[in-house]
Amino acid sequence: MRSAAWRGRFTPLTVLLLLLLAVPLLIGCTTDVDSPDGWAGAVRADEFTILQEKAGELVAIRLGGADNPGTADIDERVAWRFPGDGDDVDLDAVYASPILDGNTLYVAGHSGEVVALDLTFEPPQIVWVRDLDENIVASPAFDGRTLYVGTEAGTIVPITVASGAVGQPIAQAGERIWSAVLLEGGALYVAALDKRVRAISPAGGTIWAQPTELSGAVPGDSALQGDLLVVGSFDRRLHALDAGTGAEEWVFDGDGWFWARPVIAGDTIYAASTRGSIYALNAGGSDASRVRWRFNQLDSEIRAAPVLAGGVLVVAAEEATIWGIDPATGDLRWSAPLPGHRFLADPLVLDSSLIYATTRGDLIEIDPQSGRAAILYERR
C-alpha cells in the first residue's frame, strides 16, 4: 500500500503539472496537454454568475441579488451558454480570469482566442474575436482601455478593447507566462516559467528585470501591495521583492510549491502550499520572526487563493474541504467537508459570502462566518 505522503505528493493536480512541464520537454513543442480543462473562477454580472461549466464553455446562472441566490429550480437558472451553436469560437479551455467592464465581458481562451461579449443581449453578442495564435493561461491585466495578455510564448500582447486592435508584443519573457499579469503604478509585473520577474512599461520596454534567476519557475499569481511584490515558485519558496527595483528582500522556505496567490493584509502575508499548509508570515522583520503560525490538517494541494472575508481566512483545499481559520492565531474556526468536489479556481467574493466554482462546473456558496455550504448550481 502506498503511504499517505505518496498520495499527497501525487494528487491529480500534481500529475497535471508534471504533464504540463514534461510534455514540451519530451516532444519539443509548445502544446502543454491534449485536453486542457481550465480553472477560471466565477464572475458576477448583475443577476448572473458566469462560470466555466466544462472546458471552454461558459454558462450564466441566475442567482438573484448579490446575496440572495433565490429559490428557482436549478434547471431553470441557466440564462445562456457560450459559445452557442452559431458562434464561431473555440476557447479550448479557460484558465485566465474573465474581466467584466460594465456590460462587456472579456474572455481569453487557452486556444489563444480573446473574445469581447456584450452582455446586454441574452444570449450575449460577440463584439470582436481576436486569435493571438498562442496558448493563454495567465489572466490579463486591464487598464480600462487596453488588455495586456500574457501568452505561453512568453509575450505580452496589448489589445485595444474599443476596436479589438492587436498591437505588437511589448515584452518577451524567456519562457511561458502562467502567472497573472499585474498592473500597478504605471508598470506591468510579469513572472514567467523562466524563473525571472520583470517590471515592464505598458508603452514597451523593461523597467527592471531580476538580475539573477529565482531557484524555481513561477506558476501561480503573485500578490502586490505598495512596494511589496510576493512571488511563489516551484522551489518551495516565497520570494518577497521590492516592486520598485526588483531587489529580493527575503525568501521563505515552505513545505511544498507555492501556487495559490498569496494574500497581503497589512504586515501579514498568508500563503498556502501544495502540501496543504497555510502560513501566516511577518512581511517585515528578520527571518527568525518570519512565521507567525502554520496550519495543516490535510495533506491536500491548495491551488485556489486564500481569502479574508468577514474576519475569517477562508481556504479551499483541492480535495473537497474548505476551512475557516482565525487569521490572528491560525486556530480552526470551522471545516466544511464537501465530498465529491474539487477546488482549483479562486472564489468569487460577495458582500457576505463566497462562491466557489468546482472543477466539474458546480457553484457552491460558503458563509465565511459559519462555514455553512449551499449548492447553488449543479451541472447536470
Side-chain angles (χ1 to χ4, degrees):
M1 179 179 293
R2 295 181 175 93
S3 67
W6 190 97
R7 291 195 302 271
R9 204 170 280 118
F10 289 91
T11 66
L13 181 54
T14 306
V15 173
L16 170 62
L17 174 61
L18 293 175
L19 287 172
L20 287 171
L21 292 175
V23 169
L25 297 176
L26 292 174
I27 65 176
C29 71
T30 57
T31 301
D32 289 323
V33 287
D34 290 334
S35 301
D37 295 322
W39 51 55
V43 179
R44 189 71 172 178
D46 293 329
E47 74 273 22
F48 300 133
T49 296
I50 302 167
L51 74 150
Q52 180 177 238
E53 186 177 35
K54 56 184 178 179
E57 296 186 17
L58 305 180
V59 60
I61 308 299
R62 295 186 180 92
L63 295 180
D67 294 298
N68 178 19
T71 58
D73 182 85
I74 285 178
D75 290 332
E76 297 175 358
R77 292 183 181 174
V78 175
W80 48 260
R81 288 184 168 87
F82 179 84
D85 292 339
D87 296 320
D88 186 18
V89 173
D90 181 9
L91 298 173
D92 192 24
V94 183
Y95 292 94
S97 298
I99 295 172
L100 181 66
D101 182 38
N103 292 316
T104 305
L105 184 70
Y106 302 104
V107 184
H110 181 258
S111 63
E113 292 189 344
V114 182
V115 185
L117 296 174
D118 186 344
L119 301 187
T120 59
F121 297 90
E122 190 177 320
Q125 289 190 0
I126 296 173
V127 181
W128 48 255
V129 181
R130 298 293 181 267
D131 190 348
L132 303 189
D133 209 24
E134 296 291 348
N135 294 139
I136 299 170
V137 173
S139 297
F142 181 54
D143 65 3
R145 300 177 301 278
T146 305
L147 289 169
Y148 298 94
V149 185
T151 75
E152 288 216 286
T155 55
I156 301 293
V157 180
I159 301 177
T160 302
V161 297
S163 63
V166 179
Q168 292 297 313
I170 62 174
Q172 174 71 58
E175 287 188 26
R176 294 165 291 168
I177 300 171
W178 287 359
S179 181
V181 180
L182 303 180
L183 175 61
E184 186 67 36
L188 296 165
Y189 296 91
V190 181
L193 295 188
D194 66 353
K195 304 181 184 180
R196 293 185 186 274
V197 183
R198 298 166 175 83
I200 297 164
S201 168
T206 300
I207 298 172
W208 57 254
Q210 282 188 293
T212 57
E213 294 182 348
L214 302 179
S215 50
V218 179
D221 297 348
S222 304
L224 176 64
Q225 179 175 285
D227 293 330
L228 180 63
L229 178 64
V230 180
V231 179
S233 76
F234 284 156
D235 59 6
R236 300 189 174 198
R237 291 177 168 182
L238 277 181
H239 301 262
L241 309 180
D242 184 313
T245 66
E248 191 167 73
E249 300 290 336
W250 50 261
V251 174
F252 171 73
D253 290 278
D255 67 346
W257 297 330
F258 288 99
W259 193 330
R261 185 184 69 243
V263 176
I264 305 175
D267 62 354
T268 305
I269 298 166
Y270 301 98
S273 81
T274 56
R275 296 300 299 273
S277 289
I278 300 107
Y279 298 91
L281 305 176
N282 184 359
S286 65
D287 290 343
S289 62
R290 187 72 59 210
V291 180
R292 293 182 171 172
W293 54 255
R294 172 177 176 261
F295 175 95
N296 188 306
Q297 289 198 354
L298 180 67
D299 192 12
S300 177
E301 299 184 3
I302 298 173
R303 167 65 180 82
V307 171
L308 280 169
V312 179
L313 182 68
V314 182
V315 184
E318 180 197 356
E319 297 295 340
T321 302
I322 301 178
W323 297 291
I325 300 168
D326 187 317
T329 65
D331 294 335
L332 181 65
R333 289 194 179 179
W334 51 259
S335 177
L338 294 158
H341 295 288
R342 293 177 61 232
F343 300 97
L344 299 181
D346 296 347
L348 172 63
V349 181
L350 302 181
D351 291 339
S352 60
S353 67
L354 305 176
I355 294 182
Y356 286 87
T358 72
T359 56
R360 70 178 300 273
D362 301 331
L363 284 178
I364 295 179
E365 182 186 45
I366 292 287
D367 180 342
Q369 295 291 324
S370 66
R372 178 191 60 82
I375 296 178
L376 302 182
Y377 174 74
E378 191 169 25
R379 177 181 164 190
R380 300 302 191 190

